[in-house]
Amino acid sequence: MDFTQLPAILTPDIGLLFWMLLAFLVIFFCLAKWGFPAIVGMVEERNRYINESLGKAKEAEERLANIQQEGESILQEAREKQAQILKEAAETRDAIVEQAQQKARTEGARLLEEAKATIEQEKKAAIADIRKQVAILSVDIAEKVLRQNLRDDKSQMDLIDRMLDGVSAN
């Protein structure tokens, strides 16, 4: 192929190549001196940031697992305390019910004794009242019978004699 026939842009001459090489080396030197370290530093900083973020994420995951485990243990402890409180409440309730039943039994026995005493007193009073009424009725009846039987003097004298005979026999 004949290079003489090609356009000038495709076939540069030596001077152009020199200046292009010189510009490339200056830019490469500037990049190597200031650009690449800054880029490498940013990449390393970004790498370090990502590694720190991963470490923090792992640490947060571990903490979350610990918190979940603590939460479960606290929940279990709360359930146990709830069961204990319910048990104590049931025992207290049973004790109160037993105490109330015992008090009711005692009060019932006391009221029963009071009722029996009242009934006995009323019974004695009723018997005394009945005796009194029977005595009054007996006296009234005896008086009426005696009045009928003792209307005349002869009947009265016979009764007196009989009574005196009964007293002297004793």
Side-chain angles (χ1 to χ4, degrees):
M1 176 159 213
D2 185 15
F3 292 114
T4 57
Q5 303 269 337
L6 294 173
I9 194 155
L10 293 176
T11 57
D13 62 350
I14 290 280
L16 183 62
L17 282 176
F18 171 76
W19 288 112
M20 284 177 45
L21 181 62
L22 183 65
F24 175 75
L25 289 175
V26 168
I27 291 177
F28 183 76
F29 176 75
C30 289
L31 283 176
K33 180 84 175 165
W34 294 291
F36 290 143
I39 293 171
V40 169
M42 282 190 274
V43 168
E44 287 177 358
E45 185 180 331
R46 180 72 176 157
N47 190 22
R48 189 172 47 251
Y49 176 75
I50 290 171
N51 287 336
E52 286 176 7
S53 295
L54 288 174
K56 287 179 183 178
K58 187 178 266 188
E59 183 181 322
E61 185 180 337
E62 290 173 0
R63 261 194 278 165
L64 180 61
N66 288 339
I67 289 172
Q68 286 177 340
Q69 187 177 8
E70 287 176 12
E72 289 175 10
S73 66
I74 289 171
L75 209 68
Q76 182 63 30
E77 184 178 329
R79 286 183 185 126
E80 290 172 2
K81 283 184 181 180
Q82 178 187 17
Q84 181 181 4
I85 289 171
L86 288 174
K87 181 181 175 186
E88 289 175 0
E91 290 173 356
T92 303
R93 180 200 65 211
D94 292 343
I96 290 171
V97 167
E98 180 62 32
Q99 185 180 13
Q101 287 176 344
Q102 184 63 31
K103 187 175 180 181
R105 280 189 221 112
T106 305
E107 185 67 18
R110 184 186 66 79
L111 289 174
L112 185 62
E113 288 299 319
E114 286 179 4
K116 284 181 181 179
T118 303
I119 290 170
E120 188 63 32
Q121 288 175 353
E122 289 177 4
K123 179 181 169 185
K124 287 179 182 178
I127 290 173
D129 187 40
I130 290 172
R131 284 185 181 170
K132 183 178 173 185
Q133 288 179 6
V134 167
I136 291 172
L137 284 175
S138 297
V139 169
D140 286 345
I141 291 173
E143 182 182 341
K144 288 181 182 177
V145 168
L146 284 177
R147 279 191 188 169
Q148 271 186 344
N149 288 339
L150 302 177
R151 284 194 180 154
D152 57 1
D153 289 337
K154 183 178 185 259
S155 311
Q156 289 177 5
M157 287 309 276
D158 287 340
L159 180 63
I160 290 173
D161 287 336
R162 275 185 280 156
M163 288 184 133
L164 287 176
D165 288 339
V167 171
S168 47
N170 285 336

